[in-house]
Amino acid sequence: MSDQLGTIEELPQDYRAAMTEAGVAPLWPMMRNVLPHDAPNPVTRSGHWSFQAVRPLLMRAGELTPVEKAERRVLVLSDPGRGTGAMQATSSIYLGLQLLLPGESAPAHKHTPSAARIIVEGTGGYTVVDGEKLPMQDGDLVLTPGGDWHDHGHDGDTPVIWLDALDLPLFVYLEGSYAIEGELQAQRNRPDASEVEYRAAGLAPSRKLTSQVRRYPMMRYPWTQTEAALRQMAKYGEGEVAELDYINPETGQDVLPTMGFTAMMLAAGQSEAPPLRSASAAFHVVKGRGTSLVNGQEIAWAPKDTFTAPVFADITHRAEEESFLVRIHDRPLQDKLGYYEERAK
Ligand SMILES: [Fe+2]
């Protein structure tokens, strides 16, 4: 194994010109870029978006751009490693903060990428997915799986803001990203499945031989339930950090094909130093305050902030006050590709 492979400059100019003319290039000068030794060399850099800083810009967008002109009134959280305007926060995860004002609606569409939202502020907002009306309350996780019709509405009287997470970068990379527009959906007049079929953990509708289970049976995960479960985990966790994965209640698998969601509670003064994970991640602060070190970069986070970590990041969280974070990650994708890995620090 050679430490230093040949460079393009070592090759004669006429040979380089002939290769360009023929539409070919030598692999060896570029090989270490795409196959570095031992670990990937991510382009992604850790980012931190203070809600306090972004909120006024989002509200100004509400004044400047009517929702009809935006369809989705979103400020995109761009990976610092790729620069402002990059339609991704990590290699595979897109993040955006979306504003819906009272009385507004965002038209129905469906698209190949999957999305999930974490509600950041406001009450009265809702998403309709395949006719199911999903109320949006602080901290709720609401899914809009790829291929499912969805539109957003607002019956309340204060602005509603949520964080969108999509596997959009992956679909753009695959040249598989597109949307189809439609009419606002008729809403079924019933509560969402988290309040009916999947009201209690460990219980699902009784199966009959002819039962057709929906691929995404539950599309809203109410924060009140998540927080109560985390508190109970923490109470009996003997000092272990309480963490819960969001799962499909019928299969026990991740809620979406490529993105996973994990809720975490840190008590005041508690630290957490996870192993180096091959997955990239975004952390959304539902409540609380603290500091995280991500590859040596100190991020002081406050309620409703969002920050990111590239693959194999060295992360240590420390909560100043009782804190709840949701980690959005691409482990499900890496599991499917067969290479998810954790390394001890
Ligand atoms: Fe959408």
Side-chain angles (χ1 to χ4, degrees):
M1 184 173 75
S2 172
D3 278 343
Q4 187 61 55
L5 299 178
T7 65
I8 192 82
E9 290 76 21
E10 289 167 1
L11 299 169
Q13 194 56 253
D14 67 311
Y15 178 61
R16 287 157 65 178
M19 281 194 295
T20 303
E21 179 67 26
V24 297
L27 172 62
W28 58 96
M30 306 182 285
M31 195 165 76
R32 295 279 191 256
N33 297 342
V34 290
L35 285 172
H37 288 148
D38 304 323
N41 185 16
V43 175
T44 306
R45 283 198 282 126
S46 176
H48 174 212
W49 295 268
S50 148
F51 186 64
Q52 211 186 356
V54 178
R55 189 184 184 282
L57 300 174
L58 200 50
M59 296 310 295
R60 186 123 190 258
E63 294 161 17
L64 295 170
T65 307
V67 74
E68 297 75 29
K69 287 262 189 186
E71 278 189 20
R72 299 294 192 263
R73 195 192 284 113
V74 176
L75 295 181
V76 176
L77 278 47
S78 295
D79 164 31
R82 294 176 168 88
T84 308
M87 291 287 279
Q88 59 199 105
T90 77
S91 47
S92 74
I93 301 169
Y94 157 102
L95 298 174
L97 278 164
Q98 181 156 176
L99 169 71
L100 200 63
L101 293 170
E104 288 185 340
S105 62
H109 69 185
K110 61 179 182 177
H111 37 68
T112 45
S114 286
R117 341 199 167 277
I118 299 173
I119 315 315
V120 178
E121 179 185 311
T123 52
Y126 61 86
T127 289
V128 184
V129 185
D130 274 343
E132 187 168 342
K133 185 177 181 179
L134 308 165
M136 298 166 115
Q137 284 158 16
D138 256 20
D140 286 1
L141 181 77
V142 171
L143 308 180
T144 59
D148 278 5
W149 288 105
H150 54 282
D151 56 71
H152 309 299
H154 192 349
D155 293 333
D157 47 22
T158 54
V160 164
I161 297 172
W162 65 80
L163 179 72
D164 285 314
L166 281 83
D167 51 13
L168 178 72
L170 189 64
F171 281 77
V172 170
Y173 180 76
L174 295 170
E175 299 185 332
S177 185
Y178 67 95
I180 295 171
E181 311 296 324
E183 298 296 316
L184 286 180
Q185 304 162 80
Q187 299 160 19
R188 285 194 289 276
N189 186 25
R190 48 154 281 173
D192 71 276
S194 73
E195 295 185 31
V196 184
E197 291 88 346
Y198 306 100
R199 191 176 174 83
L203 292 175
S206 176
R207 292 190 189 119
K208 298 173 183 64
L209 208 53
T210 53
S211 297
Q212 293 265 336
V213 177
R214 288 198 297 172
R215 194 167 168 221
Y216 300 99
M218 181 164 153
M219 286 186 283
R220 172 176 173 246
Y221 293 74
W223 176 255
T224 49
Q225 291 181 17
T226 309
E227 183 175 324
L230 284 170
R231 285 185 183 283
Q232 201 68 353
M233 287 272 290
K235 189 172 168 185
Y236 295 102
E238 295 174 354
E240 282 276 297
V241 167
E243 274 194 292
L244 289 167
D245 289 332
Y246 289 85
I247 57 166
N248 178 322
E250 288 284 352
T251 65
Q253 302 296 308
D254 299 292
V255 293
L256 289 172
T258 72
M259 284 189 296
F261 301 85
T262 302
M264 173 168 69
M265 176 181 170
L266 293 164
Q270 194 170 19
S271 290
E272 159 77 341
L276 309 183
R277 300 178 172 117
S278 60
S280 69
F283 297 87
H284 178 70
V285 184
V286 178
K287 297 177 187 177
R289 232 170 258 278
T291 303
S292 296
L293 267 179
V294 181
N295 290 336
Q297 183 188 336
E298 189 173 298
I299 296 168
W301 40 265
K304 304 176 187 296
D305 285 5
T306 302
F307 59 97
T308 51
V311 299
F312 287 108
D314 184 345
I315 302 169
T316 304
H317 304 294
R318 189 172 189 284
E320 278 168 35
E321 54 188 63
E322 182 182 82
S323 299
F324 295 89
L325 279 71
V326 176
R327 177 163 54 94
I328 305 164
H329 54 82
D330 50 11
R331 182 190 42 73
L333 170 66
Q334 297 189 0
D335 274 343
K336 288 188 174 70
L337 296 175
Y339 79 96
Y340 177 71
E341 185 189 351
E342 293 179 356
R343 296 184 186 178
K345 281 204 188 191

